[in-house]
Amino acid sequence: MTQPAIEGIRMPDGHYADGTWELRILVTDLQQEVMMRVTGELHIGGVMLRLVERLEMKKDWSDHALWWERKTTWLLKTHWTLDKYGIQADATLHFTPQHKLMRLQLPSMKYVRVKVNFSDLVFKAVVDICKTFNIRHPEELSLIRKPQDSSKKKKKKGGEENNHEEVTELEGPLITPTASPDSKKDVLYIGPVRGGPFSSPGWYSKTMTPTYDARDGSPLSPTTAWFGDSPLAEGNPSALAAALPNTSPEVLARMYRPQTLLDKARINGGWLDSSRSLMEQGIKDNDILMLRFKYYSFFDLNPKYDAIRINQLYEQAKWAILLEDIECTEEEMMMFAALQYHINKLSLMTEGHANHSEQEVDEVDAALSDLEIALEGGRSSSGLRDIMKIPELSDYLKMFRPKKLTLKGYKQYWFVFKDTAISYYRNKDDPRPVQQITLRGCEVIPDVNIAAQKFNIKLLVPVTEGMTEVWLRCESEKQYAEWMAACRLASKGKTMADSSYAGEVNSILTFLKMQNVSLEPQSISPQNVPDINPESFVCPRYMKKYKAKQTVSVRDLLTARILEAHQNVSHMSLVEAKMRFIQAWQSLPEFGITHFVVRFRGAKKEEMMGIAYNRLIRMDLSTGDAIKTYRFSNMKQWNVNWEVRQVAVEFDDEMQIAFHCSDADCKVVHEFIGGYIFLSTRAKDQNEALDEELFHKLTGGWA
């Protein structure tokens, strides 16, 4: 064995005269502790080299690094000395692998055991995971800790019961896409090892351009080997066993379901810091983390290239509705149930037909065809629009201003929508408006009940003292779609001359059409009713509501309602149905709002802060009602006082807010603000390349 280079000269009092001291290093693979004589001028690389030379086991140690447990930091800068890191004789270092096992829960609620670099930043680890799964735009996703149900936690008495609960939640086969050469079969290796023998798995290739069927966006034979066998996308027999069977009521009952806004806020406190590594945030080997879409701003969602991304996004939306993380009306619930039933039905029908095309398609010809379609997409059979004049809307609508202790109802006025403002008159011939309301920066909330023929638009207009509320009532679906689309664009500072106006109107009309019932329950023949489990498609709140009806069984009644709604979506393809589900999810009033419990500077009680893709919302803690909205477009700057953990945001007109976070680290809120600003800037520039440096700067990676 090689003798240590530093022997040390011991004095009578036991100290060493040459400045050397003993460093304790634990080799985690061997559970062996090694004592080394070092000086403070020795660099980290030299420490690891001498340690490996002293170990009797000869193996590839290239994936190992030094971890300082007490300081919770990796010693990755091998040129730094022990003195520069501040390591002294009382320190104990761990020589441990950087890649460790982790159980990852996907948005589909299925688990996959992966091997991730625990020394990389969380952002880099998520990029590697998404690259392996072929999920584009990984900046939209992140890792979050699994929430703990406090009610179940009180019932647990001992460690054995806790372990049993965990095993129950993880029952069933794990998804195992591929395996690394030197790992177990049920391990997916993510990320290459520096200097190691591993390579990236065969799900992803930077050099290959996929070729897809122009009809349904499914991969053709040249790319089937790359994307066709993915258990995360639709149309694959191996994936059906893991994703398609109806979720039983017992499984739904075991899942954590937030009951209040406080529960939702506590969940959001579990987001990991993207600018720190996993081990620096207390994540250990074989821990459970959840992969979720963190930022609700989905860039370039293309069915041709995002089969896996769309499927996982659909799964996250589905579980958000089933677990009542987001509220919806009864008609919307039946529409979501019908879409989910239709998606499951189509997926089972296409089993065994995943490779439906055997013909080879030249990838250059396919790319030219896509370019031709894109260039011709702007043409319309109705001719070119008059771009010299901004379109206007004018019609009779009913308006209501809700106030405390008011008994007044809706009153009819003549409304004119021009640019980004609404003016209303007492009648059509009145030359002077009663009032003009500017909608730039306002909140637009739909209030629709198809069965009652109620088509309301709630406008929360920001004013100096807070928010003023205005309700508009439309008479028909067409009128509602036109005015709702105009209000949404105006809230973003756009007029009806924008090219997205017609698409927004059509999207709203389609959303309303899917909620219409086109078949009477009595006309459904009992022998033609499929055996479906309504509990798998309807959230518990509406299950309890239907139990109160004694005419027929709850199961039969819900089955009939789902089949009624299914008539409106039965013509859709699999990809179209998933896209419609996602679009309907995005149309819900509460979509995309992440809640945090905060205390504003100078306030005596806690309040709720909601963060959306384009605004901050100050909310009432008990009711969730919006008090005031702050648009990112009016933001000058934001910063964090890291000493007192306070977030400060400055807006136009010298308005400033500052608040502390109660149930979450202020860094989480800081990341949400910076992340949404980064995504909005990127969407505006239509930039496909991910600027990691800018992302880390905006989200506080250099703080």
Side-chain angles (χ1 to χ4, degrees):
M1 181 183 298
T2 305
Q3 295 295 326
I6 303 176
E7 295 292 344
I9 303 174
R10 186 183 292 271
M11 302 295 290
D13 59 357
H15 294 84
Y16 291 86
D18 55 359
T20 62
W21 42 275
E22 290 186 343
L23 176 64
R24 183 181 291 106
I25 302 178
L26 175 64
V27 183
T28 57
D29 286 4
L30 308 177
Q31 286 300 308
Q32 174 184 346
E33 196 173 85
V34 179
M35 303 293 294
M36 295 179 57
R37 302 290 316 163
V38 298
T39 65
E41 298 179 353
L42 183 62
H43 54 76
I44 299 299
V47 173
M48 291 193 294
L49 178 61
R50 293 180 183 180
L51 175 63
V52 171
E53 290 176 349
R54 292 185 58 179
L55 295 177
E56 296 181 358
M57 178 179 289
K58 303 302 178 184
K59 58 175 291 187
D60 184 4
W61 300 96
S62 60
D63 187 40
H64 287 60
L66 291 176
W67 165 257
W68 193 357
E69 181 72 23
R70 185 163 61 89
K71 294 291 186 179
T72 62
T73 183
W74 286 94
L75 309 180
L76 300 178
K77 299 179 179 179
T78 55
H79 61 284
W80 277 26
T81 63
L82 295 174
D83 283 343
K84 192 169 184 178
Y85 267 116
I87 299 173
Q88 299 178 356
D90 61 342
T92 300
L93 304 182
H94 292 190
F95 190 58
T96 184
Q98 299 175 68
H99 286 78
K100 299 178 182 294
L101 284 175
M102 179 176 67
R103 285 175 289 179
L104 189 68
Q105 188 193 59
L106 302 173
S108 60
M109 296 295 182
K110 296 302 175 181
Y111 287 83
V112 54
R113 186 176 287 114
V114 297
K115 211 166 194 179
V116 184
N117 193 336
F118 274 51
S119 66
D120 269 343
L121 304 182
V122 168
F123 179 79
K124 180 63 168 59
V126 172
V127 169
D128 288 338
I129 292 172
C130 293
K131 185 179 296 184
T132 304
F133 291 150
N134 191 40
I135 298 177
R136 294 198 308 155
H137 306 298
E139 66 277 6
E140 299 172 0
L141 298 95
S142 190
L143 299 174
I144 185 174
R145 292 181 175 88
K146 191 175 182 182
Q148 297 293 331
D149 194 342
S150 57
S151 60
K152 292 182 179 180
K153 199 172 183 181
K154 294 178 182 178
K155 298 179 182 179
K156 297 176 183 178
K157 298 181 180 179
E160 294 182 1
E161 192 172 350
N162 292 347
N163 293 335
H164 175 71
E165 178 72 19
E166 181 176 305
V167 171
T168 302
E169 293 177 359
L170 294 175
E171 63 184 357
L174 294 175
I175 300 176
T176 55
T178 185
S180 60
D182 296 340
S183 62
K184 299 178 182 180
K185 290 184 178 180
D186 60 347
V187 175
L188 171 61
Y189 193 86
I190 292 184
V193 180
R194 300 183 183 94
F198 302 106
S199 59
S200 298
W203 278 16
Y204 180 81
S205 174
K206 293 181 178 179
T207 60
M208 190 196 68
T209 302
T211 304
Y212 296 84
D213 191 332
R215 294 173 299 174
D216 56 7
S218 57
L220 295 176
S221 52
T223 56
T224 301
W226 295 89
F227 303 113
D229 294 333
S230 170
L232 308 180
E234 74 285 353
N236 184 296
S238 64
L240 296 174
L244 291 181
N246 294 339
T247 303
S248 64
E250 293 77 14
V251 174
L252 280 172
R254 287 202 306 267
M255 291 183 174
Y256 178 73
R257 189 165 62 248
Q259 302 294 332
T260 63
L261 279 176
L262 285 174
D263 294 338
K264 297 179 183 180
R266 293 189 184 101
I267 293 175
N268 293 321
W271 288 105
L272 297 186
D273 187 345
S274 64
S275 59
R276 298 170 61 203
S277 68
L278 291 168
M279 283 187 65
E280 288 174 342
Q281 302 181 67
I283 307 301
K284 303 299 183 183
D285 191 10
N286 213 34
D287 278 357
I288 299 175
L289 288 177
M290 302 189 301
L291 180 69
R292 293 292 185 271
F293 287 87
K294 178 178 181 180
Y295 301 104
Y296 295 95
S297 178
F298 314 123
F299 180 71
D300 189 25
L301 199 60
N302 192 331
K304 292 174 59 179
Y305 308 112
D306 293 321
I308 298 174
R309 182 178 171 216
I310 290 174
N311 187 61
Q312 294 302 310
L313 193 55
Y314 154 72
E315 291 285 347
Q316 182 164 330
K318 179 188 75 174
W319 287 110
I321 292 168
L322 288 179
L323 298 178
E324 300 179 3
D325 186 49
I326 184 170
E327 293 186 0
C328 59
T329 64
E330 184 177 344
E331 290 79 9
E332 291 167 343
M333 185 71 254
M334 295 307 155
M335 177 198 63
F336 285 121
L339 283 170
Q340 185 185 345
Y341 168 71
H342 185 62
I343 291 169
N344 285 9
K345 181 180 178 181
L346 287 182
S347 300
L348 290 171
M349 288 174 57
T350 55
E351 182 176 357
H353 301 282
N355 299 329
H356 59 277
S357 179
E358 300 295 337
Q359 59 179 347
E360 295 287 337
V361 176
D362 186 80
E363 297 185 1
V364 176
D365 292 341
L368 291 175
S369 299
D370 293 341
L371 179 61
E372 182 179 358
I373 294 174
L375 292 176
E376 294 180 352
R379 298 181 182 178
S380 174
S381 58
S382 60
L384 296 176
R385 299 177 61 184
D386 183 6
I387 60 175
M388 300 301 295
K389 182 181 179 181
I390 298 178
E392 298 180 7
L393 282 177
S394 58
D395 207 342
Y396 278 106
L397 301 176
K398 293 181 179 181
M399 187 181 72
F400 171 62
R401 289 181 176 272
K403 296 180 181 180
K404 292 183 179 180
L405 303 178
T406 181
L407 299 178
K408 295 182 180 180
Y410 284 90
K411 188 175 181 180
Q412 184 169 276
Y413 293 95
W414 175 259
F415 282 83
V416 176
F417 200 115
K418 185 176 181 180
D419 293 334
T420 59
I422 289 180
S423 302
Y424 63 96
Y425 304 77
R426 288 184 175 85
N427 54 64
K428 186 176 181 180
D429 300 326
D430 194 349
R432 299 184 61 182
V434 178
Q435 186 184 8
Q436 185 181 63
I437 304 174
T438 302
L439 300 185
R440 185 187 294 267
C442 75
E443 292 293 311
V444 183
I445 303 174
D447 182 17
V448 177
N449 189 325
I450 301 294
Q453 288 295 297
K454 183 179 72 172
F455 305 101
N456 291 351
I457 303 173
K458 294 184 180 180
L459 302 176
L460 302 180
V461 184
V463 293
T464 305
E465 60 275 9
M467 304 285 290
T468 180
E469 193 168 351
V470 178
W471 295 8
L472 302 180
R473 170 168 289 181
C474 302
E475 297 297 329
S476 64
E477 294 183 6
K478 184 176 183 299
Q479 187 185 53
Y480 168 80
E482 293 175 347
W483 285 82
M484 186 67 178
C487 291
R488 285 180 176 175
L489 290 179
S491 68
K492 304 174 185 178
K494 301 178 181 179
T495 67
M496 286 183 288
D498 191 86
S499 59
S500 61
Y501 174 72
E504 185 73 23
V505 172
N506 292 331
S507 177
I508 295 172
L509 287 174
T510 303
F511 182 61
L512 296 177
K513 183 180 179 182
M514 288 191 299
Q515 300 180 53
N516 284 322
V517 177
S518 59
L519 186 64
E520 294 296 331
Q522 293 79 5
S523 63
I524 301 178
S525 177
Q527 59 268 21
N528 296 330
V529 175
D531 185 16
I532 65 176
N533 189 3
E535 293 90 343
S536 303
F537 304 107
V538 180
C539 66
R541 181 160 62 98
Y542 288 110
M543 288 294 301
K544 294 178 182 178
K545 179 180 178 180
Y546 274 84
K547 284 182 180 179
K549 299 182 179 181
Q550 304 296 330
T551 55
V552 293
S553 68
V554 176
R555 187 185 183 92
D556 293 341
L557 185 59
L558 281 175
T559 300
R561 288 297 308 273
I562 293 173
L563 292 177
E564 291 173 34
H566 179 253
Q567 304 302 313
N568 296 322
V569 301
S570 58
H571 63 282
M572 297 182 182
S573 65
L574 183 60
V575 176
E576 183 184 1
K578 289 184 179 181
M579 290 295 294
R580 288 295 184 186
F581 195 102
I582 296 171
Q583 292 169 1
W585 175 47
Q586 292 176 296
S587 300
L588 295 178
E590 296 182 0
F591 167 78
I593 301 178
T594 308
H595 300 89
F596 295 94
V597 179
V598 302
R599 186 187 295 273
F600 283 88
R601 184 170 56 192
K604 297 181 179 180
K605 61 179 182 178
E606 293 182 335
E607 298 179 63
M608 188 71 70
M609 172 65 76
I611 303 180
Y613 75 97
N614 59 351
R615 65 198 186 279
L616 300 175
I617 310 171
R618 189 170 181 173
M619 309 170 70
D620 184 85
L621 184 60
S622 57
T623 63
D625 295 337
I627 300 174
K628 190 171 179 59
T629 298
Y630 310 92
R631 287 277 173 177
F632 290 156
S633 57
N634 300 328
M635 182 190 298
K636 286 185 177 180
Q637 63 178 356
W638 85 99
N639 57 74
V640 177
N641 187 330
W642 300 106
E643 294 183 1
V644 298
R645 317 300 290 181
Q646 184 183 71
V647 181
V649 188
E650 183 179 350
F651 298 91
D652 295 337
D653 302 328
E654 299 182 355
M655 182 177 61
Q656 186 178 17
I657 60 173
F659 54 87
H660 295 273
C661 300
S662 301
D663 293 333
D665 194 325
C666 63
K667 182 63 167 61
V668 179
V669 176
H670 186 52
E671 276 198 16
F672 267 98
I673 297 175
Y676 276 127
I677 291 177
F678 170 82
L679 292 174
S680 63
T681 304
R682 177 177 181 181
K684 187 184 300 183
D685 297 339
Q686 296 293 308
N687 183 19
E688 283 287 343
L690 175 59
D691 190 345
E692 295 187 20
E693 182 177 326
L694 177 59
F695 183 87
H696 281 293
K697 183 177 180 180
L698 288 174
T699 56
W702 296 346

